[in-house]
Amino acid sequence: MGGTIEIPGEVRAAFTGELIAPADPGYEQARRVHNGLIDKRPVLIARCRTVPDIVDAVTIGREQAAEISVRGGGHNVAGLAVTDGGLMIDLAPMKGIRIDPARRTIWAQAGATWKELNRAAAVHGLATTGGVVSSTGIAGLTLGGGEGWLMGKYGLTVDNLLAVEVVTADGQVIMASAEHHPDLFWALSPGGHGLRRDGRPSRQPGTRGARLLPRPHPGGPRRADRVHEPVR
Ligand SMILES: Cc1cc2nc3c(=O)[nH]c(=O)nc-3n(C[C@H](O)[C@H](O)[C@H](O)COP(=O)(O)OP(=O)(O)OC[C@H]3O[C@@H](n4cnc5c(N)ncnc54)[C@H](O)[C@@H]3O)c2cc1C
């Protein structure tokens, strides 16, 4: 794939993150993911800081028929977070985490890693099932099910997922949970692996969640109703 992606002037003026083209400083670093063998070159990298940034990026990609990839923690070994010749939406700068100790829930943005989430939760004596490697992103791991230290007792990460805020392909921002848009919530869980472009379930690998951008809380709120026991 190749080509160009035009950035409308109003988007460039309003974008609070970074719009990085191949000639820009930082491009080589921004396209890198955990697996150093991945060598894909997006035409544009949209490093988002806010939800409107994500909406703008999705809109640009849709209107210009660009292939879109989404990067959370960048740990997918096949490099699915990076597109070759398309638009890469990088959510890594979005690291907000909010703990509600009374309700024992965590809201976390899509760029947070397990290290960051665990640290914030541990302050309140809380924990949830997360990855065993601290640099893994909470978003991709949760969307894939999520296995970790606490799963024997508390299930997979996704079993503790309560809601997901989603930017849809047409730029809407909606909340999906068991009560609101339950079909979408189901589709975002590994039990619902695979959405086709029309939103119906698919068994085809590679189409999974392709038109869905959980933002900025792909991991949350998650149930964190477990007392964290110190590990010796
Ligand atoms: C060193 C290492 C250790 C690991 N340990 C564990 C472990 O303990 N338990 C476990 O279950 N898994 C583990 N994994 C696997 C890991 O969960 C998956 O690779 C996961 O996809 C990584 O998520 P990420 O956000 O870091 O990766 P990314 O590569 O950024 O994303 C992975 C996939 O999810 C999509 N995605 C990410 N964020 C979003 C979003 N906000 N919206 C829509 N799509 C999104 C991406 O497009 C991509 O397809 C490990 C992987 C590595 C490399």
Side-chain angles (χ1 to χ4, degrees):
M1 277 185 84
T4 58
I5 296 176
E6 298 296 326
I7 306 167
E10 66 273 18
V11 171
R12 195 180 282 283
F15 206 81
T16 59
E18 292 173 84
L19 294 164
I20 307 171
D24 292 334
Y27 174 81
E28 294 300 326
Q29 182 62 33
R31 73 185 179 93
R32 278 200 202 132
V33 285
H34 181 77
N35 182 355
L37 295 174
I38 302 300
D39 187 24
K40 299 187 200 168
R41 301 187 68 83
V43 166
L44 180 67
I45 300 173
R47 300 203 85 195
C48 300
R49 291 204 177 278
T50 62
V51 173
D53 283 353
I54 301 175
V55 173
D56 280 349
V58 169
T59 303
I60 289 174
R62 184 188 68 246
E63 289 180 347
Q64 300 185 37
E67 180 177 273
I68 297 176
S69 70
V70 184
R71 186 194 194 281
H75 267 223
N76 176 269
V77 73
L80 295 180
V82 199
T83 163
D84 219 358
L87 168 63
M88 173 176 167
I89 298 179
D90 181 4
L91 304 180
M94 299 182 66
K95 290 188 175 292
I97 298 171
R98 195 173 73 236
I99 313 283
D100 185 337
R103 292 187 176 167
R104 296 183 168 183
T105 57
I106 302 170
W107 273 103
Q109 291 190 308
T113 63
W114 283 104
K115 178 182 183 179
E116 292 153 352
L117 188 137
N118 287 339
R119 187 161 183 258
V123 168
H124 300 281
L126 297 171
T128 193
T129 305
V132 300
V133 174
S134 59
S135 55
T136 308
I138 64 165
L141 184 138
T142 302
L143 291 172
E147 301 175 354
W149 302 118
L150 298 178
M151 71 178 174
K153 197 163 183 187
Y154 302 119
L156 300 173
T157 309
V158 76
D159 294 331
N160 294 284
L161 188 65
L162 298 178
V164 183
E165 216 166 5
V166 181
V167 177
T168 62
D170 58 358
Q172 290 182 66
V173 180
I174 58 177
M175 186 73 73
S177 68
E179 291 77 36
H180 305 286
H181 302 286
D183 48 348
L184 179 56
F185 188 60
W186 169 84
L188 288 166
S189 72
H193 257 183
L195 279 187
R196 303 193 319 199
R197 197 174 191 137
D198 56 11
R200 297 213 313 259
S202 163
R203 292 190 181 279
Q204 292 296 319
T207 58
R208 173 182 154 250
R211 301 296 182 274
L212 300 168
L213 301 177
R215 80 80 195 164
H217 315 298
R222 51 182 84 235
R223 203 159 41 222
D225 50 354
R226 330 293 188 198
V227 175
H228 181 66
E229 295 170 2
V231 179
R232 297 183 196 284

